Amino acid sequence: GGAKGLTYYSGLTYTDDKSIVLNSYSKRVQSKINVDYSTGKFRLFNTLSFAYQTGNTVPLFNTLRQLFERNPWTSIYRPDGSYAGYIESKRNPVAQALFSTNLDKNYTTQYSTQASYQILKDLKFTALFNAQLNNNNNTQFNPSSLTSGGTGLSTGGNDLENKFYWETQGYFNYNHTFAKDHNVTVLLGGSIDRQRNDEFDLNFNTYPTETLLNPTGAVFLTNSSYPAHAHKDESVFARIGYNYKS
């Protein structure tokens, strides 16, 4: 919709996709809002978007690869009718797909704004700002039934990554034509951007129950790491161009 000097747009999409691989799927909700305002020599444009995605990703090494490595005469079932975890030292691809968990829950939020002002006929100033936050959470779990003989330890883990990025720029554009055939362009500006990553990784084994994937309920913490890093860039830039009879 819109009015004089103002236009806006909003949208919402939902995706529910199932893979041909058993127990592999992805669900995503995404929204976006755009607002564009202009009056005289001034213009302001804003965008806000949000996305949430969840899904179970079946590891190819434990499933599809096993289809080519296992012997064709082997059965994927035990004598009692349950799925075997291993078949002749090879993983059971069907059981791995059905009972192994590799669940993603990811959030993304992004905001950007850009303002410009026509100072003179040939001179324009533009400033912009962008920011994005990504929050990615992954939960893994392998029940004891998938181990060799079905007597091993249940294992799992939880990985959390938080990434925040922002940038800002400001620059002048000069575009002037003289004597009909000569054109001069000048660009002068500066920019700053910063990014920070925080991660939280935990691995466990010996879960007391295989129906509630609560990391704090596991008996043993086998590995943990908490890496983090950040960097910042600052720059200035300039460009001069000349065209003849362009």
Side-chain angles (χ1 to χ4, degrees):
K4 183 178 180 181
L6 175 68
T7 58
Y8 56 88
Y9 163 84
S10 62
L12 179 66
T13 59
Y14 173 72
T15 304
D16 188 349
D17 187 25
K18 292 185 178 180
S19 171
I20 59 174
V21 179
L22 294 174
N23 200 30
S24 180
Y25 63 89
S26 176
K27 297 181 180 181
R28 181 181 177 89
V29 177
Q30 183 172 350
S31 63
K32 186 175 184 179
I33 300 174
N34 293 341
V35 179
D36 190 352
Y37 172 75
S38 61
T39 175
K41 299 180 179 181
F42 177 75
R43 182 184 180 188
L44 179 65
F45 181 77
N46 292 278
T47 298
L48 177 64
S49 59
F50 172 80
Y52 168 73
Q53 180 171 320
T54 184
N56 192 57
T57 305
V58 177
L60 297 181
F61 177 82
N62 294 347
T63 53
L64 295 183
R65 180 175 174 177
Q66 308 305 314
L67 294 176
F68 301 97
E69 294 184 346
R70 62 184 290 271
N71 293 318
W73 57 81
T74 57
S75 173
I76 62 175
Y77 299 99
R78 296 190 179 99
D80 62 0
S82 62
Y83 285 101
Y86 275 72
I87 309 165
E88 294 185 354
S89 76
K90 301 298 181 183
R91 290 184 175 92
N92 182 343
V94 178
Q96 290 288 333
L98 289 176
F99 305 119
S100 178
T101 299
N102 190 28
L103 184 63
D104 289 325
K105 291 184 178 180
N106 304 328
Y107 302 85
T108 300
T109 302
Q110 183 174 10
Y111 172 73
S112 64
T113 182
Q114 178 174 309
S116 61
Y117 184 76
Q118 195 74 36
I119 303 173
L120 301 172
K121 177 183 177 181
D122 301 324
L123 181 62
K124 181 180 180 181
F125 176 73
T126 302
L128 60 88
F129 175 79
N130 296 316
Q132 181 171 324
L133 174 65
N134 294 331
N135 187 286
N136 302 323
N137 193 314
N138 176 263
T139 301
Q140 314 102 41
F141 180 72
N142 291 294
S144 59
S145 61
L146 296 183
T147 61
S148 180
T151 58
L153 300 176
S154 55
T155 60
N158 187 263
D159 300 330
L160 175 64
E161 181 185 27
N162 190 289
K163 181 187 297 183
F164 181 67
Y165 171 82
W166 63 264
E167 67 168 339
T168 182
Q169 289 186 12
Y171 52 89
F172 292 92
N173 281 105
Y174 179 75
N175 189 331
H176 180 68
T177 300
F178 60 95
K180 296 183 179 181
D181 297 326
H182 305 273
N183 178 257
V184 176
T185 58
V186 179
L187 173 66
L188 176 64
S191 67
I192 302 175
D193 65 78
R194 189 177 190 276
Q195 178 174 307
R196 179 179 175 88
N197 287 59
D198 294 277
E199 298 181 32
F200 183 81
D201 305 321
L202 299 174
N203 293 316
F204 304 92
N205 65 30
T206 319
Y207 285 69
T209 174
E210 297 184 353
T211 58
L212 180 62
L213 304 185
N214 184 359
T216 59
V219 177
F220 296 109
L221 173 65
T222 58
N223 182 57
S224 63
S225 61
Y226 314 95
H229 64 273
H231 70 267
K232 182 180 180 181
D233 300 311
E234 299 181 9
S235 63
V236 293
F237 49 89
R239 183 178 68 235
I240 299 176
Y242 170 76
N243 291 303
Y244 176 69
K245 289 186 177 181
S246 59

